[in-house]
Amino acid sequence: MTKWEYATVPLLSHATKQILDNWGEDGWELVSVIPGPSVDGDPRNQQLVAYLKREK
């Protein structure tokens, strides 16, 4: 049976590609991106969160 490990990563809008490329180089696969908490409670400043997995 395949075993997985998971990571949750905040994505910065100005560096999303670089962040995902760096994790991908370490063998992580992007599973999903969802809205994360908003900065200062303002929904216009909402960040994104990436969920990644890789085989253990």
Side-chain angles (χ1 to χ4, degrees):
M1 177 199 265
T2 303
K3 294 191 179 201
W4 301 96
E5 62 180 322
Y6 299 92
T8 306
V9 180
L11 296 177
L12 306 173
S13 61
H14 64 278
T16 301
K17 182 182 179 328
Q18 181 181 3
I19 293 167
L20 293 175
D21 283 349
N22 287 340
W23 282 84
E25 287 176 9
D26 289 336
W28 292 93
E29 178 182 350
L30 180 64
V31 175
S32 182
V33 176
I34 65 168
S38 58
V39 178
D40 299 329
D42 186 343
R44 294 174 295 172
N45 295 330
Q46 193 166 40
Q47 295 181 339
L48 296 175
V49 177
Y51 288 84
L52 303 110
K53 72 175 184 179
R54 71 176 174 188
E55 194 170 338
K56 277 189 168 185

